[in-house]
Amino acid sequence: TILPASLFSGCGYLKTFDLKNIQKTIGYCFYNCSSLDNIILPSTLVEIGGHTFQGCASLKNVSSSSITLKIGESIFSYCTNLEYIDLSNWTLTDNLNVDYLFQNCYKLSKLKLPNNINKFGKYCFCNCTSLTSITIPSTVNSLGKGCFEECTGLTSVTFAQNAQGGTSIETLEDNCFQSCTALTGINLPNSITSLGERSFNGCSNLVNVTLSSGLSVINTSCFRLTKIEEIYIPSNIKSFKEECFGFCYSLKEVTGCEGVKNYYNTVFAYCTNLVKVEGCQSVTSLGAKDFWNCSKLENLNFNWSKLTYIGSYCFQNCTSLDVPIDNDIRTVHLKSNCELGETPFADSGIKVIKDL
């Protein structure tokens, strides 16, 4: 038996429905059935269409026997009273490459996931504000855009290991954990090769971060507005993108950095407590406002003779920067072909001489 699209959509007084022998629901079948509070999924079910239970605001319990099925997007989004769901006896034929699955399930605090997942779709758990912990199964290779965005109660993220002690996770897409304001630490496995833009932007209590050695870039605004105090940059990382550590007011020390060659704009802008950035001997290019208003920055281990470009206002207000003194003046010696943006050392008290 197949239930057609939108069959019971908007039936606000429907409290229960027997799905026995149902094989398939087409999209929006029970959409906004705001009184529906209990669902038992039969073993005959092979497909749940997109948005089937979206907006079922009274839904608290979903149970099932072992089933193999395909699911569409948003099937449980806006189920605002759903607190717990067990999908461990589900086998998904599309491996949960599904978007918006539990988006805005504000009370969802605990769940069990299928064993054969390989991707969480975009905004899969977005705004699940009661979710406090999540274990990413070892089979998962990608977390979609905004997957855990605005999960403001999330304090723990664990990447499960397989029998060989490794993980499959490779990609965290844009905004993945943006504004997870309760998250205090994250250990990114070495299997991760890509962090999307704003991955941890606005995680205002994030202090402890261990980066994957598989990364080559710290992406735009990736750790912007976090509470990181110290961070080690693995040698495979070659570039810092725009504002990747911008406005990290607690950041004091950056170590590693042996492979970093390019700073894009505003990388450490307004890191007002930053004192030291080590291992910068490979840097050739600095963007605009990279160290803007880093007034406590003292130790910057650049090989100034390697620089070919320094962007506008790059070191503005870096009044503590430790550079050589010539005739009682703090002085930076650059190659004659080093291109300079507009007043890169403005209000820093540093004089630039091109004589190398």
Side-chain angles (χ1 to χ4, degrees), residues 3 8 14 17 19 22 25-34 36-42 45 47-59 61-62 69 71-80 82 85 90 101 105:
L3 298 182
F8 299 105
L14 182 67
F17 187 86
L19 290 167
I22 299 298
T25 69
I26 311 299
Y28 296 91
C29 188
F30 295 95
Y31 179 77
N32 274 350
C33 290
S34 55
L36 189 66
D37 60 8
N38 183 56
I39 298 166
I40 300 174
L41 301 176
L45 197 63
E47 183 173 349
I48 302 176
H51 309 272
T52 288
F53 300 107
Q54 181 177 337
C56 292
S58 298
L59 186 63
N61 184 50
V62 178
L69 76 170
I71 59 177
E73 68 176 24
S74 299
I75 61 172
F76 294 113
S77 62
Y78 289 92
C79 291
T80 52
L82 186 64
I85 189 166
W90 290 23
L101 184 60
C105 291

Side-chain angles (χ1 to χ4, degrees), residues 20-184:
K20 185 178 181 180
N21 297 324
I22 299 298
Q23 293 179 306
K24 183 177 181 180
T25 69
I26 311 299
Y28 296 91
C29 188
F30 295 95
Y31 179 77
N32 274 350
C33 290
S34 55
S35 297
L36 189 66
D37 60 8
N38 183 56
I39 298 166
I40 300 174
L41 301 176
S43 59
T44 55
L45 197 63
V46 295
E47 183 173 349
I48 302 176
H51 309 272
T52 288
F53 300 107
Q54 181 177 337
C56 292
S58 298
L59 186 63
K60 293 183 177 180
N61 184 50
V62 178
S63 57
S64 68
S65 56
S66 295
I67 50 177
T68 299
L69 76 170
K70 178 181 180 180
I71 59 177
E73 68 176 24
S74 299
I75 61 172
F76 294 113
S77 62
Y78 289 92
C79 291
T80 52
N81 273 291
L82 186 64
E83 297 178 5
Y84 171 72
I85 189 166
D86 185 353
L87 308 182
S88 59
N89 55 1
W90 290 23
T91 300
L92 301 175
T93 57
D94 58 0
N95 292 334
L96 198 58
N97 187 4
V98 179
D99 301 333
Y100 310 101
L101 184 60
F102 296 105
Q103 185 185 27
N104 292 317
C105 291
Y106 307 121
K107 291 188 177 180
L108 184 66
S109 61
K110 188 177 180 182
L111 73 160
K112 292 183 179 180
L113 296 166
N115 293 320
N116 69 327
I117 301 172
N118 63 23
K119 180 178 180 179
F120 292 166
K122 63 184 178 182
Y123 302 106
C124 190
F125 298 96
C126 177
N127 221 9
C128 291
T129 53
S130 297
L131 193 65
T132 59
S133 65
I134 189 75
T135 297
I136 311 299
S138 62
T139 53
V140 171
N141 58 44
S142 178
L143 303 181
K145 182 178 181 180
C147 189
F148 294 97
E149 186 173 355
E150 300 281 355
C151 288
T152 53
L154 189 64
T155 61
S156 173
V157 178
T158 303
F159 294 91
Q161 295 183 335
N162 55 31
Q164 291 73 42
T167 57
S168 299
I169 189 72
E170 295 178 355
T171 303
L172 274 59
E173 296 183 10
D174 294 351
N175 307 355
C176 192
F177 290 97
Q178 180 167 247
S179 297
C180 290
T181 52
L183 190 64
T184 58

Side-chain angles (χ1 to χ4, degrees), residues 181-312:
T181 52
L183 190 64
T184 58
I186 189 80
N187 188 346
L188 299 171
N190 290 334
S191 57
I192 293 177
T193 58
S194 176
L195 289 180
E197 296 182 1
R198 301 170 299 279
S199 289
F200 295 93
N201 178 45
C203 293
S204 54
N205 283 294
L206 183 63
V207 176
N208 299 308
V209 174
T210 302
L211 293 173
S212 163
S213 63
L215 292 170
S216 60
V217 173
I218 305 295
N219 221 326
T220 303
S221 299
C222 194
F223 295 100
R224 181 180 178 272
L225 286 169
T226 61
K227 223 171 189 176
I228 296 171
E229 296 179 3
E230 298 178 1
I231 191 162
Y232 173 79
I233 307 298
S235 59
N236 282 346
I237 292 174
K238 307 303 180 188
S239 297
F240 289 146
K241 290 294 186 71
E242 288 87 350
E243 269 191 25
C244 60
F245 293 102
F247 301 89
C248 290
Y249 301 114
S250 299
L251 185 63
K252 297 177 182 178
E253 184 173 337
V254 181
T255 58
C257 302
E258 289 90 349
V260 178
K261 293 184 177 181
N262 298 305
Y263 284 53
Y264 289 73
N265 298 334
T266 59
V267 169
F268 292 105
Y270 270 101
C271 292
T272 51
N273 281 293
L274 183 63
V275 174
K276 179 166 62 175
V277 181
E278 290 186 344
C280 300
Q281 294 292 301
S282 299
V283 176
T284 59
S285 176
L286 297 172
K289 299 182 179 180
D290 274 336
F291 295 95
W292 195 39
N293 283 318
C294 294
S295 56
K296 293 184 180 179
L297 181 63
E298 298 175 2
N299 235 335
L300 194 59
N301 192 25
F302 282 155
N303 184 341
W304 297 98
S305 65
K306 280 190 175 182
L307 292 175
T308 58
Y309 180 78
I310 303 177
S312 300

Side-chain angles (χ1 to χ4, degrees), residues 336-347:
S336 58
N337 63 349
C338 180
E339 184 181 351
L340 300 180
E342 186 174 350
T343 56
F345 291 90
D347 303 316

